[in-house]
Amino acid sequence: MKNKIIISNPNDMHVHFRDNEMLKLVVPETDKIYENCIVMPNTVPPITNREMAKDYKLRINKYIKNNLNPLMTLYLNENTDENDMIRAFKDKIIFAVKLYPQGATTNSDKGVKNLKNIFPLLRKMEINKIPLLIHGEDTDEKIDIFDREKSFIDKYLTKIVNKFPKLKVTLEHITTSEAVQYVKETTNLGASITPHHLASNRNDMLVSGIRPHLYCLPILKRRKHQEELIKVATSGNEKFFLGTDSAPHEIKHKENICGCAGVFNTINSIEIITQIFDEANSLSQLENFVSKNSASFYKIPFSKKKLELIRIDKPISFQDELIEGDLKIKIYKPNFEVNWKVSRRF
Ligand code: NCD
Ligand code: ZN
């Protein structure tokens, strides 16, 4: 039995930092553990151009003490200026572009309504090698919330990958066995997986009372889907990598008559994943999932810095909330014990 594991510093390929006061609270948590992170642009207002991305990065950088490298994204919409986008990418201000179907999730009301209208932009992205990150849910109100990911793949993603075969696409925060299968068989398509979709399923959210802090989008699915996600994450398949989708909302907006979607899971994310990999007898694949696969997929350097985790007898105790002044955020906690802890970064 392994009691210690050393991996190269992990990457979080999908994180929400929000803006203003929230940055002070959440950026340092990612900075403590992660090397690179892809920062989502669904702030209010969204990050829609080069100038906004540049300013947003400066605001984030104020809270970085270690060597976190925030990789910025642009919020794609039907009015995105293609020259501004290409310039932002060539100047290395942005790393990728994010597609939110309109109304799919938190702050996505300015997202894309008609996919066809962005085809010329996707063509430019393909030519200029700009990665496309997709929130893959069909927002048609007739589609059941548990079927939205599959419907998006069938109706839209297939069109995108067929029309733009050289475009590098990430299907973000996948939640279903159908998504796993589709990503496996499709060239130039990768996928991120969150700690909470590996650790929880919809029973955790809905049995014996409703738990608003587990409500996120895409919504937690059945156990059999959770099992498929664990299987592929621990398999070493290079197309699948960690994106926490850590999405802080103030507690008062989660514990609400109409609560917001999003789980704040940065704290203990690596420990939770290590526990899951340990239980799947796959500790040898941990580094691939959290550090190496994303670096290979996006062609960014592997970190030379290391993170050491050790097995501990007494399970870690989860802090309940992160608080700063009036801001209060609930910290994600799975329904199992975690016997791993980060012991060193060197
Ligand atoms: C995210 C948020 O709050 O910004 N919420 C979520 O449930 N994951 C948006 C997103 O990534 O869907
Ligand atoms: Zn997200």
Side-chain angles (χ1 to χ4, degrees):
M1 192 168 77
K2 257 193 163 169
N3 290 320
K4 183 168 102 176
I5 179 161
I6 295 173
I7 58 173
S8 50
N9 263 352
N11 299 319
D12 179 358
M13 302 323 256
H14 180 131
V15 64
H16 299 266
F17 284 151
R18 314 301 187 204
D19 214 335
N20 307 318
E21 290 84 65
M22 191 71 100
L23 293 177
K24 186 171 173 192
L25 208 51
V26 300
V27 174
E29 298 301 331
T30 298
D31 184 37
K32 276 181 202 164
I33 299 290
Y34 291 95
E35 176 94 6
N36 300 288
C37 65
I38 300 188
V39 183
M40 289 299 119
N42 65 332
T43 44
V44 184
I47 308 300
T48 49
N49 60 49
R50 179 183 177 278
E51 211 47 42
M52 289 177 90
K54 198 172 155 193
D55 291 347
Y56 186 33
K57 186 170 180 169
L58 290 176
R59 293 198 294 283
I60 291 169
N61 278 343
K62 280 203 260 172
Y63 300 103
I64 297 178
K65 287 206 195 72
N66 301 313
N67 30 23
L68 180 69
N69 178 26
L71 301 165
M72 308 308 290
T73 56
L74 216 58
Y75 184 110
L76 188 64
N77 61 78
E78 293 172 33
N79 301 315
T80 301
D81 177 333
E82 62 180 48
N83 293 323
D84 180 77
M85 170 184 78
I86 295 166
R87 197 173 146 221
F89 184 71
K90 293 205 162 148
D91 291 350
K92 297 197 176 354
I93 290 169
I94 62 157
F95 179 77
V97 168
K98 173 81 188 227
L99 164 60
Y100 288 102
Q102 198 173 87
T105 187
T106 310
N107 303 333
S108 64
D109 49 319
K110 298 192 172 60
V112 173
K113 194 160 179 207
N114 186 345
L115 199 61
K116 280 212 178 88
N117 292 342
I118 58 155
F119 280 174
L121 281 160
L122 298 185
R123 178 72 68 209
K124 291 284 177 192
M125 288 172 62
E126 184 182 35
I127 295 166
N128 288 281
K129 300 191 170 21
I130 307 177
L132 174 68
L133 316 177
I134 302 184
H135 182 111
E137 288 198 283
D138 185 351
T139 53
D140 182 337
E141 61 180 32
K142 290 192 225 53
I143 308 291
D144 188 272
I145 188 163
F146 291 97
D147 300 331
R148 288 182 168 200
E149 185 172 274
K150 178 177 167 9
S151 181
F152 183 88
I153 295 170
D154 297 344
K155 271 169 45 193
Y156 302 109
L157 187 57
T158 45
K159 281 210 181 81
I160 295 175
V161 299
N162 290 331
K163 209 169 162 54
F164 307 101
K166 296 220 166 79
L167 182 63
K168 191 192 283 292
V169 180
T170 304
L171 184 57
E172 299 211 282
H173 40 50
I174 58 166
T175 60
T176 58
S177 54
E178 289 86 358
V180 169
Q181 193 50 37
Y182 188 70
V183 172
K184 273 187 187 167
E185 68 199 24
T186 308
T187 316
N188 277 334
L189 182 64
S192 58
I193 305 180
T194 78
H196 49 291
H197 287 97
L198 290 172
S200 305
N201 61 58
R202 66 191 200 180
N203 273 17
D204 297 311
M205 177 175 59
L206 295 171
V207 172
S208 309
I210 184 161
R211 292 177 191 75
H213 294 290
L214 291 185
Y215 174 62
C216 62
L217 290 168
I219 198 155
L220 294 173
K221 304 295 192 300
R222 290 173 183 273
R223 177 187 290 274
K224 68 170 188 192
H225 293 291
Q226 178 195 7
E227 285 166 358
E228 279 303 307
L229 296 176
I230 294 174
K231 205 165 131 195
V232 80
T234 57
S235 72
N237 188 322
E238 288 204 338
K239 303 180 106 205
F240 299 85
F241 44 82
L242 173 63
T244 64
D245 194 11
S246 190
H249 289 278
E250 287 186 64
I251 290 183
K252 63 181 183 216
H253 296 140
K254 294 283 296 171
E255 296 173 6
N256 191 290
I257 198 147
C258 182
C260 295
V263 171
F264 174 68
N265 64 12
T266 304
I267 298 177
N268 298 321
S269 49
I270 290 295
E271 289 86 341
I272 292 168
I273 294 166
T274 306
Q275 183 71 34
I276 293 169
F277 275 60
D278 186 15
E279 273 157 35
N281 287 319
S282 305
L283 283 176
S284 60
Q285 294 300 339
L286 180 68
E287 184 177 47
N288 284 333
F289 180 68
V290 302
S291 319
K292 290 194 163 169
N293 291 354
S294 50
S296 312
F297 183 77
Y298 289 111
K299 299 194 169 36
I300 53 180
F302 291 145
S303 174
K304 292 199 178 62
K305 296 223 161 71
K306 305 280 180 199
L307 194 71
E308 180 186 82
L309 290 118
I310 53 168
R311 188 190 296 278
I312 46 170
D313 291 337
K314 192 169 167 272
I316 55 172
S317 52
F318 283 76
Q319 191 186 322
D320 196 39
E321 295 171 359
L322 198 57
I323 304 176
E324 170 81 36
D326 290 342
L327 278 184
K328 271 193 192 170
I329 313 168
K330 191 82 166 179
I331 298 169
Y332 171 70
K333 182 176 184 300
N335 72 355
F336 50 79
E337 291 183 340
V338 174
N339 290 83
W340 286 90
K341 99 173 196 281
V342 171
S343 44
R344 254 187 329 143
R345 221 179 161 197
F346 56 103

